[in-house]
Each structure stands twice: as C-alpha cells, then as structure tokens.
Amino acid sequence: MKLVIRIQIMAMIMISLVGFGLVGCDDTPTEVDNYQRQPVLSAFLINGQPFEEAWLERGAGMNDVYDMANAGIDDATMMISNLAGDTLLNLIPDPSSKGRYIPADGEEFIPQSRQTYKIEAWTAAPQNEYLWATALVPGMVEEHGPMQVFLVSDDLMDTTIVADGDTLNRTMNTMVWSWYDIDLVGGFQGIIIAQTPREDLIPLNPDWEPPVDPLNEDDDDYIGPEDRQRAGWTFMRHDQRQITLAWIFFRWEGPQKVQFNALSGAYYDYVFSEMQAEFGAIERPEFNINGGLGIFGAYSEQSINIYMEKVDIE
Amino acid sequence: MPKHIFVYLAASLFLLNLSGTYAATLTGYVTDEASGEPLPVATVVVIDADRGTTTNLDGYFVIDFIDPGIYTLEVTYMGYNNTKSEVSVYEGNSKPITIEISRGSVALEEVAVVVQARNTALDRHAPAVSAVPIDGKILRTMSSLGGEMDVLRALQTIPGVKSASDISSGLIVRGGGPDQTLIMMDHNVVYNPTHLFGLFSTFNADAVKHLDLMKGGFPAAYGGRSGSVLEIIGNDGNRKKREGMVSIGLVSARASTEGPLMNNLGSYHFAYRRTYMDPMLDALRDPGELDLPSYYFYDSNGKINLDLSDRTTLTVAGYWGNDRMLMDFGPLDSRLHLYLSWGNRTISTRLRHALGRNMFLSAVGSVSRYRSKWSMANDDVLFDKARDRLSDHSFKSDLEYFGVANHKMKMGFWIRQYDIYYNEFGEDLEFVTIDEKSNNYSVFFQDRWRINSFFDFQPGLRAYFHEAGEQFALDPRMSLVYHYDTNVRFKLAGGRYSQFINLISFGDGFSAFDIWVPIDDTMDPSYTDQAVIGFEWDRDDGLEFTTEVYYTDMNKMAIFDPSIDEANTGDQAFLTGDGEAYGLEWMLRRMKGRLNGWIGYSLSWTKRQYEDSQINLGNKYYPKFDRRHDFILVGNYKLSRAWDMNGNWRYNTGQGYTRGMMQYTSRVGGINPDEEGDYGRQILNGSKNNYRFPADHRLDLTASYNHLFLGKEAKFNISIYNVYSRRSYWLHSEDTDETPPDVTDIKLLPIIPLLSYEMRF
C-alpha cells in the first residue's frame, strides 16, 4: 500500500477519533438544581378509630437545613370522601402545628372495614396543586380470631401467652406473634415503640453502662441523638400468619407498645418499597398520591403494652 | 427438530466431499519443544505453496488441497523461535505430523507482550472480529491486586472491557452485564468466577494456557449468552518432564505440578491455591470489641490428557473451588451470626479425534455446578436462610471439516440440562422455592470461506430449542474481512445472540448472593443484535493498530424485580426491558523490543430501560458501569536478564450515581416521627445515575527479579497497587442523621504494596 495513502487513511482515522472524543463529553446535569419541590401528603385511616390527622408539607432542598416544624403547608383545603363523592370529613389546618390537618370542629369520621375512601387536597396560589388518593380499609385484625403474643420454648413444649402489662426480658423464651387471615390485607407490620422519652432511653444490652460524661462522643457507651430510635418495625407478607421475633428487636428498657398492623395494599407497597429504596434497589418508594408525593394508607391495628427489664447475662 | 438439521448437514458434507477435487492434505500438531504442550493459534505456512493456516485450540492444523511434494513449513508463535522444517506430502491420508518449536532465548529484543499478536499475513485471513487472544505464559507476567496475576483483571486492560469497580473482577464487555459473557474453562461453563466478593477471579493463572476474549460478533460455534465469550484453555501439562511450582504471596499461596503420564501416554497438570487470611483474622479478632469475619477461599484445577492414539486424545479436566465466610457481631446477649459460602465445581471429559484427512471431531460431556448458601440468625431466631444450586449437565460435539477448497466448516450441537434449586426461608415463612429442570438444545453451522485473496467470509447459523415454553430461536451470524493488502484489513461482523438463562445479582458484578435462573414458560429469551466494523493495520516493525465501532441492540433483558416480595413464576420475579450499547475502541500495540505494550482507548455509551417498573420510574437510564471514556496504557520492559518491569496506567471518566433532590418526612401510621432516630427524614432520589463521579486514574507497577534459588528458577515479585494513592470513587452516600444530609463519597483502595515469591522445580 502506498505510503501516501496509508498516511491519508491514518489521518482520517485520527481526526475521526478526536471528533468522537469531543462528542463523548457529557453535559453537566442540573436535575437537582432545577428540581421544583413537590408537596408531600401523608394520611392514614385506622379501621374503627376516628380519623385524627393528615400532614401536608413541602420538603427542603439537599443543601438546606430541613426544619420539620416549618416544612408544612398550612393554607390548603382538604377533605375525605367516599367513592360516590359524598364528603365525609373536612380537614382544617391545626394552628399549633404547621402542616397538620385535623377534623373540622364538630366533625368526626370513623373508617370501616372493606370500604374505599378518597382524600383530596388543594394548595393555595401560586402553586394551585391538586393532590388526591384512595385507600381500601382491610378487615379488623380480630375479625377471624385475635392476634396473640406468646413466649415459646425451643422445644415448642412450653407456650405462654403474653398479657397486657407483663414484664419480660431477653433471657426468656422466644417471642412469637400469631394471627389469623384478615380480609383485603396487603401485608402486615409489627412495630415496637419504646415509651420512654428519647433522652432517657437505656439500652437493654447488659454490657452497657452509662458513660461518665454523657456528651463525650468518644466514650464507647455514648449514644448520639441519631441512635435514640424509639420505634422499630418489620414487615410480614400477606400470606404469613406468624412471626418469631428476636429479642434484638427490643432495644430499650422500660414500657413498650407492641403494635400489630394489617395494612392496605398500597400502604404495604409503600413501606416495602421505601425499605428497597433505602437499600438502593430502586430510586424512590411507591407513593400513591396523585399530583404529589406521599401515602394515603389504611390499616387495622391491635396492640398490647409490656415492660422490658434489663438483666445481666452470665 | 435439532436431529433433522444434523442429519441434513451430515448428508451435505458427504456430498461436498464426493464433489471435491482429490489432493493431498497436510495435518499435524504444533507443540512446545520443552513440554510437548500443544500450542493454540500458532501459524503454519507452507512457504513454497503460499498457503497457511493457524492451529486450533488443540494445537491442530490442516492445510488442504496442496499438491503432493516436498515443502518447507515455517511455524511462528509469539515468544517462540520461528521454525522451519521440511515435510513430504503424499496423496491420500497422511499421518499427522508434530512440529516442535522452542521458546525464544532471553534476548532482550524478543520479549512477548500480553496480547497475542497476529503473526503472519495468512493468520490474518482468519476473520476474528473483536477477538483478543492471550497466551497464559505471558499473562502471568502481569501483576494485579494481591500481588498475584488475575485473569479477569488482566482482561480489564483491554479496550471495551470494564469493571464494575476497583474491587470487582466482573467483566463488563461493551456495555453488557456480567451474565452476558459466556465464560468457559476447558469447554465447561463457569457460573460465578470470583472469590472474595469479586476481588479475585476463580481462575488460577498457573493453570491457564491460553484464553480468547471475543468482545462481540462471535461466531455461531458459541451460544447461550447475548454479549461476549471468554474461552479459557487450561495447561495440559509438560509431556516430557515433571515440573512444579510453589508461590507465597500476602494473600494466598499457590502450588502446581505437571508432568508426563506413565509410558508417555499423555500428561497431567494440577494446581491449588488457598488464601491464609483466616488465621490472620483469627489472631486479630477480639469478640465484642473487634468483630472481624472468618474467611477463606481455595481453588484447585486438574487436567489429565490421555493419548489414545496419534489422532485421538481423551482429556479429563476439573475445577473445585469455594469461598466461606463466618461473622458474629452485635451485643453479647443477642449476637447475630452471618454465614456465606459459595463455589463452583466442574468436570469435563473431552474426546478429540482427527477423523481422516479432512475432519477434526471434538465431543465433550461436562457437569458444572454452582452452589451458594447463606444465613443470618441470632441464637434463637433464623432471619433468613437460602440455598442455591445450579447444575448444568451438558453434552456437545463439534466437527471441523476441511474437505472443500477454501472452506473451513464447523458444525455441532449442544444439549444442556439446567437443574436449578433455590430455597429461601425465614423462621416463619418460606420466601421462595424454585425446583426446576429445563433442557436446552442448540445446533450450529458455520463456514470460514476464503472467497479470494481479498475477502474472507464466515456465515453461520445457530438454532435453539428450549423445552420450557417450547421456545425456538434462530441466531444468524456473519463476519467479513477485506484484505486491502497484507498489512491492512477491514472487518465487519454481526448477528443475533440469544440467551436462555439470567443472573439475579445483588452487587457489582458477581457476588455470593448471585442466583442463576433459566427462563421458564412465562418468559421469552433475551437477545441482542450486534454489528461491528473494524480496521486493522500492522507494520512489519511490530507496531499494530486496530479500531472498531460497534452497536448492540439489547432486547428482553431480564433483571430481578426489586419491588416484589414473592413470585412463583419467571414473569412475576423478573422485569424485562431493553437497552443499547455503542462505541468506539482503538488500540495501538508494539510487540517487539525491550519496551513493548499497548495504548488503548474506548468511547462508549450504554443505556437500559425497564418500562412499567419502579426502576427509574420506567425511564431510560445509564447503568452504573457506563463510563464514557476509558484510556489504558500498558508497558512491559525487560530491564535486564534478571529484572522484568510491568506497569499500567489507566484513566476513566466517572461512573454514574444517584443524587437526592429533596429531604422530606416519611410518615408511618402509628409512629410519631419524633420516635425515629432521624425524625423520619428521608431523601427523595432523582433519576437513576443522574450524576457522575469525577474521573479516576491509577498507576500500578510490578518488578520481578528472576534468579536461581537452591539451583531452581525462582522469582521475587514486588507490586505497588495505586502508586500515587488516588482512590477511586465507589458509592455516594447521603446520611439523613444530619440536616442538611451528610454527603460522603466513599472511595476505594489506597496505595498497597504487595510481595510474592515463586519457585519452580
């Protein structure tokens, strides 16, 4: 091949390669900077219990301090209705808590099993946003039989029912929750809420001793505010009828509310997907609010109260 | 249907043979003079007749349709002396000859490079588009993380091959996922080729003789994956004398032995490797204060070749390897126990036979088994336990036929049975149980046709039948080479590539939690349509330039649906979507001289989309491993007879990550956000991988000192990984414990010096 032709071919190739290289430079993304913060609506229907509150807020940018107390939207119009369009409850802003909406004076609404309800909210100018969602209330937890908490020995020979007000500790037999089928349920949630104020929480870990200086972050026993989580929960699938709960789920000494929730389909999808989003499997939870973000969920509830005492482990 | 196709092909060949002009055929093997090992891809040229070919992976060659007479053969193979020998060719069947060639002397101007060069003009007739052959001996000169040569990491220095991260040896080839590359060792499929969560590959470099990476546009002889093929051939063993090697590094120890079988009936090769991290971790562990895992991995390779005749060899090859990790952590009164174990076992029996003067038969029966187990429990309660087993029983046979002038035909079939068992359960619930067998049949035909001195054309067709769902797929393939002259070639390749098995992966590349699942009757096979255009130019002084442009259209790509919590069928468990990948690669190599190596560059895009899913809300996105520019510089320098130096420097633009757009309160019924540690603060994420990390670059250096120790060849290796300690970006973390969120970009490994010592006997 003639040298001149080879050089020409090589030059052509190198020029095109440089051209490709320039083409391959990506523009700087601006999605975060350009994001217009959407409203977030959260409300829950509890089967057989008067509706108490809904929350409407607008979140904070990633570079801003998020002040939950001032994130609320307090000038929206909100109502709950049935599918026929009949207004069942008007909600008004709570003057003591920005973004919280409570039943209008003199009004009350109690969700019922197997009913579908709709929530609607209209934000004021200049946004003029319209948000809405529906929720189907599952059956009562105890409809086909009560949910019960047991302590079960390893050989399954010894089963003790845990009653409201019992005192328990981590050395006891394993805790098992058992329940029956519940109509129209999407899944279940087990919640343990320590009733002690955050700043007074004491770990059940037998090796923990109060630090000499509670503010010394280098002390092995230091517990920061972000670690003082009073509530913990787990999920159970819709076809599950029992869960064995490890004592590790009980973190703090003192009174505990042990709560069992039967969730509507959309609500279960939301909490499950939120867990997946935290792990990075998906980008965001499955919100069911149209026109915005958030969740309008329904659930049935049953709970007992116990006391967890701290004991030494030999 | 597969049976009918095979009968038809056999009949066609018989007729073609009858119609061919009778002439002499020269057949034989090219072997290493010192060890007797057959040498793949060696070039054999009949100088007087201007004819030539390359040996196949078994070191066997056929030069057909030459007139009887006396000829001079020239054999060339990189790293070996060019050898000329006189042969007599007679009419009729001729016994295969054996040509032994010797390794080049340690003359400083003859050092080989990692990537096998295309040796002569006739070798270049082979229309091997996007194919990168690498010799095992030369591969072992490259050091890698851990001070030990790693096959998969070495491949990541080839343009078009990326890794998911610095700590992953998974292959991302031209935008395809790790499960889109068919990885075979000694003709057996390997399903999870990694140790230590992807840090090392399962391929012991001491056991590797040769490997071929086909980045795309691969021929019909390969099938079952939609992206690329990595074929690794293990060492056969020294047929002339016993040898061994022991090596100790900071991470693991290795040993190998090889030699001839009794009465020169063949050869054997065994290699073993084990890490000794476990006693080191045991010594450091202090329960309650320093929770360190217990971990080890091992792998062993074996191969026995039995020469049944001068035309027939039986080979039994196997691999056995495992990783195991145990970890206890948490408070003493409620410890959590984590257990992980995963590994591969493979065994294959291969018969190869030179049939007459025009045919070469290979038949392989093999079993490849991948197992993994994990569990998470505390003393009283089992949280999660899973057992996964995939067994791939297969039988395949290939027939190479050289009986038609200017044609090299190959045909064959592959019968596979996938036996998958996966069971995951907790204390109270069985999450998933899959217990299935599914059979997959495929047949193929291809023909390497030298149309004239300018054009080589290789059409091919592969047909599949998958029993589950009675699915049928046809993969047409082709490649075309235009020889502008002896130094310049233009190449074109493309086709369809179907895949019937998918990988559920929970990490970057391969991990201990990977599950391979064949498609069932509710799913269609995934497939890609590929096109590649290439240009090659080699100079007689050893400088070689190649460039390729490619486009891949991906269809029905399956990934596990992360938003489900139960599934009974494939269409419930998997999302299917589309994707595409395209780009440009070039590589400039110097193959001769004391200083040699290559410079490579790739410019690429890859996208995915899973409509009607939560993944990026059904919109198109760039996967994490999409990196726009990759630049690599690899150099080998023979400083002296004793000292070998190796270095590589790479630069790549950043991988994608997802940034949050807004902080908000996530509320849960019955829980006041004040009861949560972070007050219920959540981050609303933006589009998947909507931002890019800064560019990364890294320099690795290795120096090897060759000497004699107790009269035996020995080598001392010093490696420095990440010489100037520029840590690459891995994860973007936004922690809601603080507001504004505490943003941390987690980086990977700093400078790591490593040592190893190796002795041969």
Side-chain angles (χ1 to χ4, degrees):
Chain A
M1 182 183 185
K2 290 186 178 175
L3 181 61
V4 170
I5 297 171
R6 290 189 184 192
I7 291 172
Q8 285 173 339
I9 290 175
M10 284 309 299
M12 199 168 59
I13 291 168
M14 293 310 295
I15 289 168
S16 53
L17 292 176
V18 170
F20 275 119
L22 292 174
V23 165
C25 296
D26 293 317
D27 295 328
T28 303
T30 58
E31 185 184 23
V32 172
D33 300 321
N34 295 343
Y35 177 66
Q36 299 298 314
R37 293 173 291 134
Q38 292 174 276
V40 183
L41 174 63
S42 304
F44 300 97
L45 304 175
I46 307 175
N47 192 346
Q49 297 185 26
F51 183 83
E52 287 189 354
E53 62 184 11
W55 289 86
L56 183 64
E57 65 159 357
R58 205 175 296 276
M62 291 298 291
N63 296 321
D64 302 327
V65 174
Y66 176 60
D67 180 4
M68 192 166 69
N70 283 305
I73 300 169
D74 59 0
D75 56 359
T77 303
M78 199 179 295
M79 70 171 66
I80 294 175
S81 58
N82 58 21
L83 286 185
D86 304 319
T87 302
L88 302 174
L89 185 70
N90 290 292
L91 297 167
I92 59 173
D94 179 353
S96 65
S97 187
K98 191 175 181 183
R100 182 172 184 254
Y101 288 75
I102 56 177
D105 293 339
E107 291 191 29
E108 184 181 76
F109 160 61
I110 299 177
Q112 303 298 311
S113 299
R114 293 176 284 276
Q115 298 298 310
T116 300
Y117 301 98
K118 183 178 182 180
I119 190 168
E120 295 172 278
W122 293 262
T123 62
Q127 289 87 1
N128 293 318
E129 294 146 327
Y130 170 56
L131 297 85
W132 68 271
T134 61
L136 172 61
V137 182
M140 297 292 280
V141 170
E142 61 272 21
E143 205 161 51
H144 301 289
M147 176 264 181
Q148 289 185 301
V149 179
F150 300 93
L151 298 181
V152 181
S153 60
D154 290 344
D155 60 8
L156 306 180
M157 298 299 290
D158 180 14
T159 303
T160 308
I161 294 177
V162 176
D164 199 52
D166 278 355
T167 297
L168 308 176
N169 63 66
R170 284 185 175 183
T171 64
M172 289 181 166
N173 288 336
T174 307
M175 178 181 282
V176 176
W177 301 8
S178 173
W179 60 92
Y180 291 84
D181 184 21
I182 296 166
D183 295 343
L184 299 173
V185 71
F188 305 99
Q189 184 181 29
I191 307 175
I192 296 164
I193 310 171
Q195 303 299 295
T196 307
R198 283 172 71 116
E199 59 273 15
D200 297 329
L201 290 170
I202 295 173
L204 285 169
N205 182 352
D207 289 332
W208 187 85
E209 296 288 340
V212 173
D213 178 2
L215 300 177
N216 180 10
E217 295 184 16
D218 294 327
D219 193 308
D220 287 344
D221 291 318
Y222 170 77
I223 305 174
E226 68 281 358
D227 293 323
R228 292 181 180 277
Q229 185 162 340
R230 295 199 300 166
W233 58 88
T234 186
F235 308 110
M236 293 83 81
R237 228 166 59 185
H238 67 93
D239 55 345
Q240 196 167 343
R241 297 289 173 264
Q242 174 181 301
I243 184 168
T244 304
L245 216 59
W247 287 117
I248 199 169
F249 282 106
F250 292 88
R251 290 185 61 193
W252 312 108
E253 187 181 42
Q256 322 276 329
K257 182 181 180 185
V258 176
Q259 184 173 318
F260 175 80
N261 291 346
L263 312 180
S264 63
Y267 185 22
Y268 177 78
D269 290 342
Y270 169 72
V271 291
F272 184 81
S273 60
E274 187 175 70
M275 180 183 66
Q276 296 294 77
E278 281 195 62
F279 286 131
I282 55 176
E283 280 61 63
R284 57 177 67 180
E286 286 187 48
F287 303 116
N288 73 337
I289 302 295
N290 298 284
L293 308 173
I295 178 68
F296 182 45
Y299 63 94
S300 303
E301 170 200 306
Q302 185 177 324
S303 61
I304 65 170
N305 296 291
I306 61 169
Y307 186 93
M308 287 297 297
E309 65 177 352
K310 182 173 177 173
V311 295
D312 291 328
I313 303 291
E314 291 184 11
Chain B
M1 185 157 189
K3 277 188 195 172
H4 294 157
I5 290 175
F6 189 72
V7 166
Y8 170 78
L9 287 171
S12 304
L13 290 168
F14 178 66
L15 291 171
L16 282 169
N17 195 21
L18 287 180
S19 65
T21 304
Y22 185 80
T25 301
L26 178 63
T27 63
Y29 294 90
V30 174
T31 63
D32 181 296
E33 183 188 52
S35 67
E37 279 226 38
L39 298 173
V41 206
T43 303
V44 182
V45 175
V46 184
I47 293 175
D48 315 290
D50 195 27
R51 297 286 308 281
T53 188
T54 52
T55 57
N56 66 10
L57 291 178
D58 297 301
Y60 182 75
F61 70 89
V62 173
I63 298 174
D64 54 351
F65 294 95
I66 60 173
D67 293 326
I70 299 174
Y71 296 94
T72 303
L73 288 189
E74 182 176 25
V75 179
T76 55
Y77 190 70
M78 188 54 68
Y80 286 71
N81 294 316
N82 288 6
T83 304
K84 287 184 183 172
S85 50
E86 210 172 70
V87 295
S88 299
V89 181
Y90 304 100
E91 274 188 23
N93 288 343
S94 59
K95 221 173 146 182
I97 62 173
T98 298
I99 303 173
E100 293 185 332
I101 60 175
S102 57
R103 288 194 66 79
S105 60
V106 191
L108 299 181
E109 64 274 13
E110 290 181 2
V111 172
V113 299
V114 174
V115 178
Q116 187 102 347
R118 292 168 181 82
N119 293 316
T120 69
L122 290 160
D123 171 42
R124 293 168 200 144
H125 276 272
V129 181
S130 300
V132 181
I134 303 177
D135 182 81
K137 284 191 176 65
I138 298 157
L139 203 60
R140 286 186 279 279
T141 63
M142 279 188 82
S143 186
S144 182
L145 185 64
E148 305 184 7
M149 195 281 133
D150 188 272
V151 169
L152 298 186
R153 287 188 177 277
L155 291 173
Q156 290 167 5
T157 63
I158 305 297
V161 182
K162 302 182 201 289
S163 63
S165 70
D166 279 358
I167 56 173
S168 168
S169 56
L171 295 180
I172 312 291
V173 182
R174 287 185 175 170
D179 62 337
Q180 290 179 261
T181 299
L182 177 68
I183 300 177
M184 296 196 294
M185 178 141 189
D186 287 321
H187 309 279
N188 209 345
V189 179
V190 179
Y191 283 94
N192 187 325
T194 63
H195 288 306
L196 197 53
F197 304 99
L199 205 59
F200 302 105
S201 71
T202 56
F203 303 114
N204 186 343
D206 300 314
V208 173
K209 176 165 73 172
H210 176 88
L211 63 89
D212 256 308
L213 174 66
M214 288 163 260
K215 294 188 282 183
F218 50 90
Y222 298 94
R225 296 289 189 276
S226 58
S228 51
V229 175
L230 173 62
E231 174 148 45
I232 300 172
I233 302 298
N235 280 324
D236 289 338
N238 193 322
R239 287 168 176 267
K240 300 197 174 178
K241 63 174 182 175
R242 287 199 187 85
E243 287 184 330
M245 182 278 299
V246 290
S247 171
I248 297 175
L250 291 181
V251 175
S252 66
R254 308 178 339 248
S256 67
T257 178
E258 58 183 299
L261 293 177
M262 282 194 309
N263 300 323
N264 291 321
L265 285 175
S267 64
Y268 66 89
H269 185 275
F270 297 104
Y272 181 76
R273 173 174 63 166
R274 194 192 191 283
T275 181
Y276 30 71
M277 290 170 68
D278 36 344
M280 290 160 59
L281 292 169
D282 286 344
L284 290 172
R285 190 176 303 113
D286 187 356
E289 293 189 15
L290 193 62
D291 291 326
L292 289 175
S294 168
Y295 172 80
Y296 69 84
F297 75 79
Y298 70 86
D299 54 50
S300 56
N301 297 84
K303 195 168 181 181
I304 296 174
N305 298 286
L306 197 59
D307 297 325
L308 300 178
S309 74
D310 57 0
R311 289 175 176 271
T312 309
T313 302
L314 182 72
T315 300
V316 179
Y319 168 87
W320 187 297
N322 204 66
D323 286 64
R324 185 169 167 271
M325 190 182 91
L326 282 170
M327 186 168 179
D328 287 351
F329 56 99
L332 281 176
D333 67 328
S334 195
R335 298 282 278 174
L336 289 169
H337 312 295
L338 174 65
Y339 170 78
L340 284 168
S341 171
W342 70 98
N344 296 279
R345 296 176 194 176
T346 71
I347 185 158
S348 63
T349 302
R350 182 168 181 252
L351 181 77
R352 52 185 193 273
H353 177 64
L355 278 169
R357 61 188 177 98
N358 290 327
M359 287 189 280
F360 189 86
L361 174 73
S362 164
V364 184
S366 62
V367 178
S368 178
R369 183 171 292 181
Y370 169 69
R371 291 173 185 264
S372 67
K373 292 187 279 190
W374 68 84
S375 69
M376 165 88 91
N378 75 351
D379 291 330
D380 304 312
V381 181
L382 175 68
F383 297 129
D384 191 8
K385 185 170 183 176
R387 295 169 293 177
D388 170 43
R389 181 201 74 228
L390 171 70
S391 295
D392 177 355
H393 296 83
S394 79
F395 179 74
K396 62 176 181 172
S397 183
D398 301 331
L399 182 70
E400 292 178 82
Y401 178 65
F402 315 99
V404 179
N406 300 317
H407 288 261
K408 279 188 186 172
M409 299 180 196
K410 191 171 183 181
M411 65 215 74
F413 66 88
W414 197 354
I415 301 168
R416 315 174 74 165
Q417 182 184 75
Y418 297 115
D419 184 352
I420 164 83
Y421 176 78
Y422 177 67
N423 178 227
E424 186 176 357
F425 55 94
E427 185 77 36
D428 307 290
L429 186 70
E430 192 160 280
F431 301 124
V432 180
T433 297
I434 304 173
D435 189 359
E436 288 180 7
K437 285 189 172 69
S438 56
N439 295 330
N440 184 283
Y441 309 90
S442 59
V443 292
F444 77 91
F445 174 80
Q446 70 187 40
D447 179 21
R448 188 190 297 175
W449 176 20
R450 190 186 311 151
I451 299 173
N452 52 39
S453 60
F454 294 102
F455 288 98
D456 285 313
F457 180 53
Q458 182 168 287
L461 185 68
R462 192 172 187 99
Y464 302 87
F465 177 72
H466 192 75
E467 274 192 357
E470 295 186 345
Q471 313 237 25
F472 179 67
L474 261 182
D475 287 0
R477 317 252 177 102
M478 64 78 78
S479 63
L480 178 71
V481 178
Y482 169 59
H483 302 268
Y484 185 86
D485 62 24
T486 54
N487 297 102
V488 176
R489 292 167 297 285
F490 294 89
K491 293 186 174 180
L492 173 70
R496 174 161 291 192
Y497 304 83
S498 298
Q499 182 162 336
F500 294 84
I501 188 167
N502 301 302
L503 174 67
I504 303 173
S505 182
F506 299 99
D508 295 335
F510 296 103
S511 77
F513 303 98
D514 290 348
I515 306 161
W516 287 88
V517 182
I519 64 168
D520 62 13
D521 54 1
T522 63
M523 294 178 69
D524 294 332
S526 59
Y527 66 92
T528 62
D529 293 320
Q530 299 182 19
V532 182
I533 299 173
F535 167 80
E536 289 178 4
W537 172 44
D538 352 281
R539 289 159 46 129
D540 295 330
D541 60 359
L543 203 61
E544 186 176 305
F545 176 78
T546 60
T547 182
E548 288 186 352
V549 175
Y550 66 91
Y551 179 80
T552 303
D553 179 35
M554 304 178 189
N555 301 275
K556 300 181 182 178
M557 313 306 291
I559 61 166
F560 182 67
D561 186 352
S563 64
I564 59 140
D565 61 353
E566 64 172 319
N568 296 312
T569 58
D571 62 342
Q572 293 172 350
F574 288 95
L575 299 168
T576 53
D578 298 326
E580 60 179 357
Y582 47 92
L584 163 97
E585 298 158 8
W586 60 258
M587 192 163 161
L588 181 67
R589 311 184 278 189
R590 183 166 186 262
M591 300 166 296
K592 292 183 180 176
R594 294 175 69 172
L595 177 64
N596 53 72
W598 68 91
I599 302 171
Y601 169 75
S602 74
L603 169 66
S604 63
W605 289 259
T606 183
K607 300 171 194 170
R608 298 281 191 277
Q609 182 176 20
Y610 296 90
E611 290 182 341
D612 303 322
S613 79
Q614 287 297 309
I615 298 177
N616 206 35
L617 302 179
N619 301 313
K620 273 191 191 175
Y621 68 95
Y622 294 106
K624 187 175 177 182
F625 48 79
D626 174 64
R627 295 198 302 255
R628 199 66 61 242
H629 304 275
D630 260 289
F631 180 83
I632 182 80
L633 176 65
V634 176
N636 305 293
Y637 184 63
K638 187 72 177 173
L639 183 64
S640 67
R641 288 185 185 277
W643 285 96
D644 294 313
M645 314 294 289
N646 170 272
N648 59 73
W649 183 79
R650 76 177 313 144
Y651 171 94
N652 55 264
T653 49
Q655 297 189 144
Y657 68 92
T658 303
R659 274 182 67 181
M661 296 195 295
M662 183 179 79
Q663 308 169 70
Y664 69 100
T665 299
S666 170
R667 297 179 186 272
V668 177
I671 299 176
N672 186 330
D674 188 52
E675 288 154 354
E676 299 180 54
D678 55 5
Y679 302 94
R681 270 196 303 274
Q682 289 287 343
I683 290 173
L684 181 74
N685 286 322
S687 303
K688 191 175 182 71
N689 298 327
N690 53 357
Y691 284 78
R692 300 269 166 174
F693 284 123
D696 285 321
H697 47 90
R698 189 183 85 229
L699 172 67
D700 304 327
L701 293 175
T702 301
S704 299
Y705 175 59
N706 302 292
H707 59 284
L708 293 177
F709 179 69
L710 301 177
K712 307 293 181 188
E713 290 180 14
K715 184 158 66 172
F716 178 64
N717 295 307
I718 307 169
S719 291
I720 303 178
Y721 176 87
N722 199 359
V723 171
Y724 48 83
S725 205
R726 182 181 166 90
R727 300 171 62 182
S728 61
Y729 291 84
W730 185 40
L731 289 177
H732 179 81
S733 166
E734 292 164 340
D735 188 356
T736 55
D737 284 350
E738 304 287 333
T739 182
D742 183 24
V743 177
T744 308
D745 288 333
I746 298 168
K747 298 182 185 179
L748 288 174
L749 305 168
I751 180 172
I752 303 177
L754 299 148
L755 306 170
S756 68
Y757 191 82
E758 174 184 312
M759 194 169 86
R760 296 191 173 268
F761 53 90

